[in-house]
Amino acid sequence: MNIKRMMAVMRARFREFYRDTASWTWNLMMPLLIIFGFYFIFSGDSRELFKVALYNSEATSQQELSFLQTEHIRFIEVDDLAVAIVRVQRHQFDMLLDRSSTPPRYWVNPHSANGYMLEKLYHESFSATRIELQRELVSGQDIRYVDWLVPGVLAMNMMFSCLWGVGWVVVRYRKNGVLKRLQATPLTPFEFLTAQVIARIIIIIGVTLTVFVGANLVVGFTVRGSYLALFLVFLSGAACLTSMGLIVATRLKTEEVADGMLNLISWPMMFFSGVWFSMEGTHPLAQLMSQLFPLTHLVDAARRIMIDGAGVSGVAFEISLLSGLTVLLLLVSARLFRWT
């Protein structure tokens, strides 16, 4: 592998990017507009959907069953009681029920308007009995929808930029004869593809950092975890998504077909990766499908860092997984790559 040849390709790619003013302007403005738009829409205090976490589904009394049949409440099964309590603290769950305790036990945040309403409904279900409910109070800072949304929007913008910034561009090179001319040089497919990945990662990290700072100045979100962990997650995510774009670009010869293939990859990945809404409470098959997409692991890791305060060790699995996929996809791309 010749470093000088790779550096030459990277320099050419950087020049092409900053000369395309419309492209990098859109890369900066689109995620900012999405974040600001959702911040404005959901800046009020009211929410239409109640979320109640259910811990231990084995035992349910008749009175509790009546509460569980209440409309307009989403009931979500949870396995980790400690994690669920933290989510009640942060207003991510409006209420938490332990269905196995005797007498029934529940957690609610006294500062949550939704929690207050749900507590009233829950007590009403037991009004005809003499059962004394165990009330546990927790308190914590509210997690706004925009706080939850920001990691997903940053990851989504990264996905589109990685896939089209490499997949579509390399196909255009092939159609315009650029790759045919490069074939006559000592440059190898692996060197060319690696240079494309590195150049795109540098560009993406710069764009993401700019969007991150710009959104924070207006919205004012907080990163509770490690900035180093967040950097490593986005770095490994950018590398993985860029390598995925290369798979599309290995043999296609027209931009139209490349657009179709990239849309076929990106849109399901965006909807099943929890960018806009949580996959908790969705169909089990949908949750299983979501685990197949790199974007899911990128978004989940970023949220655990920014919202739950995770460090490097807390997202080591996602970083390792995304890095491993990067190497695999890059090797496969180099093996399948054709200059013409």
Side-chain angles (χ1 to χ4, degrees):
M1 187 168 63
N2 189 293
I3 301 299
K4 290 184 178 180
R5 293 198 293 261
M6 292 174 56
M7 290 297 295
V9 175
M10 290 171 58
R11 284 195 297 270
R13 191 68 188 92
F14 289 143
R15 292 193 186 100
E16 185 179 9
F17 176 77
Y18 72 70
R19 288 173 181 172
D20 188 356
T21 308
S23 177
W24 61 259
T25 301
W26 178 248
N27 274 311
L28 291 174
M29 294 303 298
M30 185 188 74
L32 288 173
L33 291 174
I34 292 174
I35 293 172
F36 298 158
F38 276 96
Y39 173 70
F40 173 74
I41 293 171
F42 293 99
S43 58
D45 295 329
S46 61
R47 299 174 183 174
E48 297 180 356
L49 183 64
F50 296 105
K51 289 185 179 181
V52 175
L54 303 177
Y55 176 71
N56 198 324
S57 59
E58 293 180 359
T60 301
S61 65
Q62 186 63 37
Q63 293 77 20
E64 194 170 58
L65 184 61
S66 174
F67 175 73
L68 297 178
Q69 294 173 343
T70 306
E71 296 182 358
H72 308 300
I73 300 177
R74 181 192 297 179
F75 296 98
I76 301 173
E77 299 280 352
V78 296
D79 299 321
D80 193 320
L81 184 62
V83 172
I85 292 174
V86 171
R87 299 193 70 177
V88 175
Q89 290 176 330
R90 294 177 177 171
H91 299 239
Q92 292 173 287
F93 288 142
D94 300 311
M95 193 177 192
L96 168 63
L97 304 181
D98 183 354
R99 303 167 72 183
S100 62
S101 64
T102 304
R105 182 171 56 161
Y106 69 93
W107 286 259
V108 69
N109 191 321
H111 303 292
S112 168
N114 285 357
Y116 174 81
M117 296 300 297
L118 288 170
E119 186 177 17
K120 291 291 185 182
L121 290 172
Y122 192 56
H123 277 269
E124 182 65 25
S125 301
F126 290 86
S127 60
T129 70
R130 295 184 177 181
I131 298 176
E132 292 189 11
L133 303 175
Q134 295 186 66
R135 185 187 191 221
E136 304 285 350
L137 295 179
V138 296
S139 62
Q141 184 179 4
D142 188 6
I143 300 297
R144 302 169 301 171
Y145 177 64
V146 70
D147 297 322
W148 184 88
L149 180 71
V150 165
V153 172
L154 293 175
M156 182 198 67
N157 186 59
M158 179 178 290
M159 175 193 69
F160 281 116
S161 186
C162 288
L163 293 180
W164 266 267
V166 172
W168 192 87
V169 168
V170 173
V171 172
R172 188 189 65 193
Y173 286 165
R174 182 177 291 111
K175 181 180 179 180
N176 294 342
V178 175
L179 295 185
K180 188 174 182 179
R181 290 192 290 271
L182 289 175
Q183 186 181 14
T185 70
L187 188 69
T188 66
F190 186 77
E191 291 171 349
F192 172 74
L193 296 177
T194 302
Q196 291 291 326
V197 170
I198 295 174
R200 177 50 51 172
I201 289 174
I202 295 173
I203 291 171
I204 287 300
I205 293 300
V207 170
T208 303
L209 179 61
T210 303
V211 173
F212 182 92
V213 173
N216 191 34
L217 289 175
V218 176
V219 177
F221 52 84
T222 302
V223 179
R224 295 178 171 83
S226 165
Y227 279 96
L228 175 61
L230 190 63
F231 173 77
L232 292 176
V233 164
F234 280 125
L235 180 64
S236 57
C240 184
L241 292 169
T242 302
S243 300
M244 182 177 289
L246 289 177
I247 292 288
V248 176
T250 52
R251 302 206 174 193
L252 297 183
K253 296 184 178 181
T254 63
E255 295 99 323
E256 291 79 11
V257 177
D259 269 331
M261 291 294 295
L262 292 170
N263 278 309
L264 184 64
I265 294 172
S266 61
W267 284 94
M269 186 157 53
M270 180 176 63
F271 283 111
F272 282 97
S273 296
V275 171
W276 306 109
F277 50 85
S278 173
M279 294 298 292
E280 289 180 311
T282 60
H283 194 282
L285 182 59
Q287 296 184 45
L288 179 62
M289 288 178 58
S290 70
Q291 297 303 309
L292 302 177
F293 299 118
L295 189 63
T296 299
H297 303 285
L298 172 58
V299 172
D300 287 348
R303 284 200 177 116
R304 288 210 306 276
I305 296 168
M306 297 179 67
I307 295 177
D308 298 329
V312 175
S313 60
V315 292
F317 171 77
E318 285 80 5
I319 294 174
S320 301
L321 177 63
L322 294 170
S323 300
L325 284 174
T326 299
V327 175
L328 177 62
L329 293 172
L330 188 56
L331 291 175
V332 173
S333 300
R335 182 69 178 86
L336 299 176
F337 184 76
R338 292 292 182 270
W339 293 107
T340 58

